[in-house]
Amino acid sequence: MSKKNRSERLTNQHKESKGVVGIFGDKAKSHDLTVGEISHYVIEQRKK
């Protein structure tokens, strides 16, 4: 993928998610917590 296309795609994503609100909003925080919980569970299961 060319740098220009990547830049345009990221700019569009940033605009659609309303910038910082989309990155650090409630949905993003919830997603991060869920991913964290699942990854800890998987690590524990792998240890067993």
Side-chain angles (χ1 to χ4, degrees):
M1 177 182 295
S2 74
K3 288 183 181 182
K4 183 176 181 178
N5 288 341
R6 185 180 312 146
S7 176
E8 287 177 9
R9 181 181 56 81
L10 292 173
T11 298
N12 291 337
Q13 280 182 323
H14 193 68
K15 287 178 182 177
E16 288 175 14
S17 69
K18 296 182 179 42
V20 175
V21 173
I23 297 170
F24 299 108
D26 290 337
K27 287 183 180 180
K29 290 177 186 175
S30 175
H31 176 265
D32 287 348
L33 288 173
T34 302
V35 170
E37 291 172 358
I38 292 170
S39 63
H40 288 295
Y41 174 78
V42 169
I43 291 169
E44 289 301 316
Q45 293 303 309
R46 296 281 299 160
K47 286 179 181 178
K48 292 178 183 178

